[in-house]
């Protein structure tokens, strides 16, 4: 209800960052998917396409030896898959909208 002004350059930058989100590898463990789905995510990206189909990516911390990995996280895909992705690929997309509205100004 409160549209934010944006520049064409900002939109192009955002879409470029969004396109760069891809998984390093997938983990074929349904129990891990179920376990992660029961916890609180770090980020959630919801994309509605032209056909009003909703695609959601949900990101969770990756823990190894009791510590949170600061370089990688898990991502749950709409198809029930668990992937591992570097934070640097999702960081720009997870920034506040103001980051992109001020782009190019």
């Amino acid at each position: 209800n409160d549209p934010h002004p944006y520049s064409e350059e900002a939109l192009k930058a955002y879409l470029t960052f969004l396109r760069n989100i891809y998984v390093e590898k997938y983990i074929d463990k349904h129990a891990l998917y179920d376990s992660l789905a029961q916890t609180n995510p770090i980020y959630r990206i919801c994309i509605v396409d032209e056909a009003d189909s909703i695609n959601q990516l949900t990101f969770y911390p990756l823990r190894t030896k009791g510590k949170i990995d600061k370089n990688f996280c898990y991502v749950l895909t709409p198809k029930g898959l668990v992937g591992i992705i570097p934070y640097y690929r999702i960081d720009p997309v997870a920034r506040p909208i103001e980051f992109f509205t001020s782009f190019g100004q």
Side-chain angles (χ1 to χ4, degrees):
N1 293 334
D2 184 19
H4 289 273
Y6 67 91
S7 67
E8 190 171 322
E9 293 83 15
L11 181 59
K12 286 179 183 177
Y14 182 79
L15 293 175
T16 298
F17 291 130
L18 191 61
R19 185 175 46 225
N20 288 335
I21 295 178
Y22 64 89
V23 172
E24 290 282 311
K25 70 177 182 176
Y26 286 100
I27 301 170
D28 189 20
K29 290 185 180 176
H30 194 70
L32 177 59
Y33 181 90
D34 291 341
S35 173
L36 289 171
Q38 300 300 317
T39 62
N40 291 326
I42 305 169
Y43 304 111
R44 185 174 286 133
I45 299 173
C46 186
I47 302 164
V48 181
D49 63 19
E50 293 174 342
D52 286 335
S53 179
I54 298 173
N55 299 289
Q56 184 169 284
L57 299 174
T58 313
F59 301 89
Y60 297 86
L62 191 153
R63 298 179 193 275
T64 52
K65 299 180 182 177
K67 295 184 179 180
I68 294 176
D69 190 317
K70 297 189 188 291
N71 297 310
F72 295 90
C73 64
Y74 291 118
V75 59
L76 273 55
T77 70
K79 296 180 181 176
L81 297 172
V82 177
I84 295 178
I85 187 169
Y87 275 115
Y88 74 84
R89 289 201 188 121
I90 62 169
D91 179 61
V93 177
R95 291 178 184 243
I97 191 72
E98 289 77 21
F99 175 79
F100 295 97
T101 57
S102 64
F103 224 82
Q105 291 183 359

